[in-house]
Amino acid sequence: MTTRVWIVIGAFASALCLGLAATVVVMFFGAREASQPSAIVSAYLSQVERGHISAALRMEGRAANPAEVLLTDTAYRHATDRMTGFHILGTRTVGAGATVEARIQQKSGSSTATFELSRTVTPLSPLGLDTWRLRPVELTTVEITVGAPGRIAATLAGVPLGWKGAVQRIHAFPGDYAFALTSQSPWFTVPDAAVSVAGFGHSDRFQVPATLTAKGRDAAIAAADAWLDQCAAVPDFHPVRCSFGLTSGPDAGEVWANQSWKVQSRPTLAIGDWDFGCRTPTTAGVSAGGCWPVTTTAPGKVTFHADYSIPATGETGDVTSTNPIEADVKGWISSFTDSGALFSSVDWTD
């Protein structure tokens, strides 16, 4: 083999070695750059921006939870005002931990978010090739309360909410998630609304109240009137837990019989808007509670009658209320059955 051939082979080998060395250097710095906390957070936020929620959740090691109805690709696909971009603001590393701050962009505005990472030392750590892992991200927590009796069928961002009458606390990525009923009640309606989530790491509250239909309002009035009639049907001069009664009963030696009440006029009732702060005695602590309050704007009138006798003297006669007595209704409507509303009264016990 000639000297010229050897020179060519040597030159080729040298070039190959230099090329491989250059490739290794590029790969080394590329790997080190990709392993930096800021790069990991950028990769995470890119997944969110593209709507790859399941991939983002895997990066932070968050376990799957069926109750987290908004942490799915499907829910985020139907969301509006989603992330439109992000910018890494800075990284702070202390020991085995790092904090990355980023600006999150949505159509509605921007916000800042902080992400935590932890480092695992490896044999390549002296070369700057540490293993960084994203800690579970502090997502926004939304407390959801539907102001309506019992279970209702509704969706958030097109996925079933699973509302069972108790406050739900769920997590969500930045975006607006449409709320809508998927079944109708003859007694009340719940308007369409949206759960709005701006950025990360906040605590938001979403409350949407039900509104009585005309049929529901009539049923509420009928249930309150029925309560008054039940009180009037009690054969006692002071019906227990009712809003009316005589201040005193039979005198000593006197006997009353056939005690009865008669409703002369009914109170004028008002049904208020759904009250989220209403707590009924039968509501469990985990329940959302709430009710439609019932109040009296103008009292009704009732009268009393009884037959009396005095056995010692043989005297008999009638006992009547001197003047009509005011009768009020006050309480709440907290649920409905197939036949109508269920009214609960305040306790009128003196």
Side-chain angles (χ1 to χ4, degrees), residues 224 270 278 291-296 329-333 343-346 348:
C278 174
C291 69
W292 286 282
V294 180
T295 56
T296 295
V329 175
K330 185 176 182 180
W332 55 86
I333 302 293
F343 172 79
S344 299
S345 172
V346 299
W348 293 91

Side-chain angles (χ1 to χ4, degrees), residues 15-179:
L16 181 61
C17 289
L18 289 173
L20 289 174
T23 301
V24 169
V25 170
V26 171
M27 291 178 63
F28 169 78
F29 283 105
R32 190 168 71 172
E33 182 66 26
S35 68
Q36 296 304 303
S38 59
I40 294 173
V41 172
S42 292
Y44 172 81
L45 292 175
S46 294
Q47 296 285 19
V48 177
E49 185 180 355
R50 292 195 295 266
H52 300 164
I53 299 304
S54 56
L57 295 178
R58 284 194 297 271
M59 287 187 66
E60 60 174 284
R62 189 181 296 268
N65 184 348
E68 295 283 13
V69 297
L70 296 184
L71 300 187
T72 65
D73 292 0
T74 300
Y76 209 57
R77 185 165 57 248
H78 291 119
T80 58
D81 194 28
R82 291 164 40 170
M83 271 186 58
T84 57
F86 63 91
H87 176 67
I88 301 298
L89 300 176
T91 302
R92 182 172 180 268
T93 303
V94 178
T99 300
V100 177
E101 187 177 19
R103 180 167 297 280
I104 308 302
Q105 190 67 44
Q106 298 172 247
K107 186 177 180 180
S108 59
S110 64
S111 58
T112 58
T114 300
F115 302 88
E116 303 287 340
L117 299 94
S118 57
R119 176 169 54 186
T120 301
V121 177
T122 70
L124 296 178
S125 292
L127 300 177
L129 292 175
D130 293 321
T131 299
W132 288 96
R133 177 176 292 276
L134 187 65
R135 294 176 181 171
V137 175
E138 187 180 357
L139 302 178
T140 291
T141 302
V142 183
E143 182 181 279
I144 295 179
T145 309
V146 182
R151 302 185 180 210
I152 62 171
T155 59
L156 269 181
V159 298
L161 174 61
W163 178 257
K164 298 178 182 178
V167 173
Q168 289 181 240
R169 291 174 178 85
I170 59 178
H171 296 92
F173 286 94
D176 285 356
Y177 303 86
F179 169 89

Side-chain angles (χ1 to χ4, degrees), residues 185-199:
S185 165
W187 312 113
F188 58 85
T189 61
V190 181
D192 292 344
V195 176
S196 296
V197 177

